[in-house]
Amino acid sequence: MYRQYSETEQLLLEKNLITIQEKLDQYEAVHKLFQTNRVLLELLSGDYYTPADSMYHFLKYIRPLFEYVELNTPDLKRLCLYSINENLSILKPEIIHLSEGPNVGSFSEEIKGQWNFFPGENNEESSFHFLKPIFNNEYTRELGFLELQIPETAISNLVAREDWESGKEVLFYLDKEDKILLTGSENTMDFPLYKDLIQNFINGNKSDFGIIRRTNKKYVINRVEIESIGLDLLLIQEVDGRFPGFKKKRDLVFLLLLVFLLLLTFVYQVIIYFYARRINALAAHMKTIDKGNFNQIPVDHRKDEITCLVGVFNDMIYRIDELVNRVHKEELMRKEIAYSALQAQVKPHFIYNTLETIRMLAEANDDINVAELCYRFGLFIRYTLASHKKEVTLKDEFDNIRNFIEIYHYRFGARLESVIAPGTETLNIICPWFLLQPIVENSVIHGLSGNVRKGQIVVESGFRDGKLVISITDNGRGISGIKIKELHNSLLKNEISGETDHLNGSLGVTNVYERLKVFYGPEAQFIIDSEEGKGTVVMMIIPAEELQYAENPSC
């Protein structure tokens, strides 16, 4: 409670600091009024040659300015202008010669233009002085000094509150070295006690507020910095008197808490009596689950938390029983799949052997075309059924599409021309299995099939601008610009429409796009450029830093 009170007082003091700063800014604004007064600057510069002229302009223009400032700043204790011009007529009490005022030259340059604290002597009131030069219009030389003096109470009254009790609060000022500056009003107080409190606060607190105990009393100390004055304002309050009857109320609260605790203990015992047996029965049944007991607990008709817990427990047992049965079935299915995989290992070898037999019979009958077709088809089938290969090299991929296109040469004859030109520096690059064949197949089937002119397919690979570029080009029917845009949007959404026009009909394109992104990362590009009646270009662009190389071309 005391700490919360201290924090609240700190917030109030910081809020008052804003008011203090506004008050000081209001006083400092007086200097601007005098600095910008043309008649005053002319008077201080000696532009009026006769005393009569000086007195006339002073009475008409300058004295009203002094009266205006004094009227609007009632806390102002002294307002005086010291003239450097020895020839200026004395216009007391507003303007006097510098020689008759304080020794301005003894002031260091640091204190000119800022507030300075002067402690009161011989029971005099402490005050703050503001001394700042007045310059000519060009700011090239000093004409005099303006002095403002306000009592210390002008600051402390902004901090005081109406609910303060006499003798319970006191203000101190600390300089940059944490030296205590008396304001005159503290001389009658117990200064040694407050000095000890301030010293302990400075040595033991890192924050701007704290609580210190002395002689069975508690003191709250708050501290804020007044930048314009260059001092810290320290507020010390004796807070015990602010909470009358607190001990009685505290004892009453403790008594009520004790009664409430006894009541809670009684309620707890009742809950234990009515609910503990049901909870123990549930816990005992839980311990039998690891022995394979998946029988559910009978649910009573009570609508309480234990009934809800039993219901959830029964659902959990039911799901566990389902999972156990599912795992058993999956184990049987795995055994069946293993047996099917064993059978599948025989089928590819049977196909390879059959094709090899056909090829040897064709060679025996001097049918070179059939033998070559069987050889190419056998290589293609062997590569296609090698599903255990997840990663291959570009050399393997180019060899596969070479076999694939050679097979189509027997179908299309002279209508199909192909150029397979992989870059030598790209052959050893690792790529996903079956990366190029789906694109080449689309080019053959949808690009060249039904085309009257001779078809041509060019498959190339190489490096451009530090990136691997693989391109498949055909001179087939091509795709319209609208469908190309739809196709790119579909690829980005992993959705290929059901149309069968050129690439749109191949799910292999989606598969190639997805595997390209997964294998080489999101920076890999898949670009389709086409024009109706002129053909299609499919390009795969992969950053060099994403590439991996096999130790040998066969990967």
Side-chain angles (χ1 to χ4, degrees), residues 276-480:
R277 288 179 296 175
R278 297 166 64 192
I279 294 177
N280 291 334
L282 176 61
H285 190 83
M286 288 180 177
K287 295 178 181 179
T288 62
I289 293 179
D290 59 345
K291 299 179 181 180
N293 180 17
F294 296 111
N295 296 325
Q296 299 185 6
I297 301 177
V299 181
D300 52 28
H301 299 288
R302 300 179 186 177
K303 296 182 179 180
D304 55 14
E305 289 78 4
I306 298 180
T307 302
C308 180
L309 183 62
V310 171
V312 174
F313 177 73
N314 288 337
D315 291 340
M316 182 185 68
I317 291 178
Y318 176 75
R319 293 183 180 276
I320 292 176
D321 192 21
E322 277 191 339
L323 289 174
V324 170
N325 293 331
R326 185 183 302 172
V327 169
H328 180 67
K329 292 179 181 178
E330 288 179 353
E331 184 65 25
L332 294 178
M333 291 178 63
R334 277 197 295 269
K335 293 181 179 180
E336 185 67 24
I337 291 172
Y339 178 73
S340 299
L342 184 63
Q343 287 183 321
Q345 292 178 358
V346 180
K347 295 178 181 179
H349 293 289
F350 177 75
I351 295 174
Y352 304 151
N353 294 336
T354 301
L355 289 173
E356 185 64 18
T357 301
I358 296 174
R359 186 181 69 83
M360 289 188 296
L361 289 174
E363 288 183 351
N365 294 325
D366 293 330
D367 196 339
I368 303 303
N369 290 334
V370 174
E372 182 65 19
L373 178 60
C374 289
Y375 174 71
R376 295 288 181 180
F377 184 63
L379 293 178
F380 179 76
I381 289 296
R382 184 182 298 273
Y383 188 82
T384 303
L385 297 180
S387 59
H388 64 281
K389 288 189 175 182
K390 302 301 180 182
E391 298 178 357
V392 295
T393 62
L394 278 180
K395 179 181 181 303
D396 297 330
E397 281 292 295
F398 273 94
D399 289 343
N400 182 55
I401 61 173
R402 187 177 287 109
N403 292 327
F404 177 78
I405 293 178
E406 285 296 329
I407 293 172
Y408 269 98
H409 276 145
Y410 287 97
R411 175 181 174 184
F412 290 99
R415 290 178 53 205
L416 175 62
E417 291 183 355
S418 63
V419 177
I420 312 298
T424 306
E425 69 279 9
T426 66
L427 295 177
N428 218 22
I429 295 175
I430 298 176
C431 65
W433 175 65
F434 247 63
L435 180 67
L436 304 181
Q437 190 273 339
I439 308 301
V440 174
E441 182 179 358
N442 277 318
S443 297
V444 174
I445 295 176
H446 300 293
L448 302 179
S449 180
N451 199 359
V452 178
R453 61 183 176 182
K454 180 183 294 186
Q456 186 181 52
I457 296 177
V458 180
V459 185
E460 299 174 308
S461 67
F463 283 94
R464 299 179 191 172
D465 300 328
K467 295 182 180 180
L468 173 64
V469 180
I470 303 174
S471 62
I472 298 98
T473 307
D474 66 67
N475 62 344
R477 292 175 295 170
I479 313 174
S480 66

Side-chain angles (χ1 to χ4, degrees), residues 42 67 74 77 83 128 200 218 223 254 294 309 331 342 357 365 391 393 397 425 478 490 500 524:
E42 291 176 353
E67 294 174 351
K77 186 176 180 180
S83 172
F128 294 97
N200 281 273
K218 297 183 180 66
R223 179 177 183 175
F254 285 160
F294 296 111
L309 183 62
E331 184 65 25
L342 184 63
T357 301
N365 294 325
E391 298 178 357
T393 62
E397 281 292 295
E425 69 279 9
S490 299
T500 57

Side-chain angles (χ1 to χ4, degrees), residues 128-257:
F128 294 97
H129 292 244
F130 181 78
L131 190 68
K132 193 170 183 179
I134 297 292
F135 292 90
N136 60 357
N137 285 326
E138 293 78 16
Y139 287 87
T140 56
R141 63 187 179 93
E142 294 178 351
L143 301 178
F145 292 87
L146 179 68
E147 181 187 20
L148 300 175
Q149 182 180 351
I150 60 174
E152 181 275 333
T153 54
I155 301 299
S156 59
N157 289 339
L158 298 176
V159 181
R161 299 197 307 272
E162 294 181 357
D163 61 338
W164 278 13
E165 300 178 7
S166 177
K168 297 296 183 180
E169 295 80 18
V170 62
L171 286 174
F172 288 96
Y173 295 93
L174 302 181
D175 60 11
K176 296 181 180 179
E177 288 76 25
D178 289 335
K179 180 181 177 182
I180 302 174
L181 303 178
L182 295 179
T183 62
S185 60
E186 292 86 359
N187 292 333
T188 59
M189 298 185 180
D190 191 1
F191 178 71
L193 172 62
Y194 289 116
K195 182 178 180 181
D196 180 61
L197 292 175
I198 294 173
Q199 194 62 42
N200 281 273
F201 172 76
I202 294 174
N203 296 334
N205 284 273
K206 296 182 179 179
S207 60
D208 293 330
F209 57 90
I211 304 171
I212 299 179
R213 293 173 174 83
R214 284 292 183 276
T215 63
N216 298 325
K217 294 182 180 180
K218 297 183 180 66
Y219 296 88
V220 170
I221 301 180
N222 299 90
R223 179 177 183 175
V224 293
E225 180 185 1
I226 307 178
E227 295 183 0
S228 296
I229 301 178
L231 301 177
D232 286 357
L233 181 64
L234 208 66
L235 172 63
I236 303 177
Q237 303 180 64
E238 182 185 334
V239 294
D240 286 335
R242 295 199 177 277
F243 306 103
F246 171 73
K247 293 184 178 180
K248 295 181 179 179
K249 293 180 181 179
R250 181 189 60 188
D251 295 339
L252 178 61
V253 170
F254 285 160
L255 180 60
L256 292 176
L257 288 177

Side-chain angles (χ1 to χ4, degrees), residues 102-112 116 118 129 131 147:
N103 186 8
V104 179
S106 64
F107 288 98
S108 63
E109 291 299 326
E110 288 80 5
I111 68 172
K112 293 180 180 179
N116 299 277
F118 288 87
H129 292 244
L131 190 68
E147 181 187 20

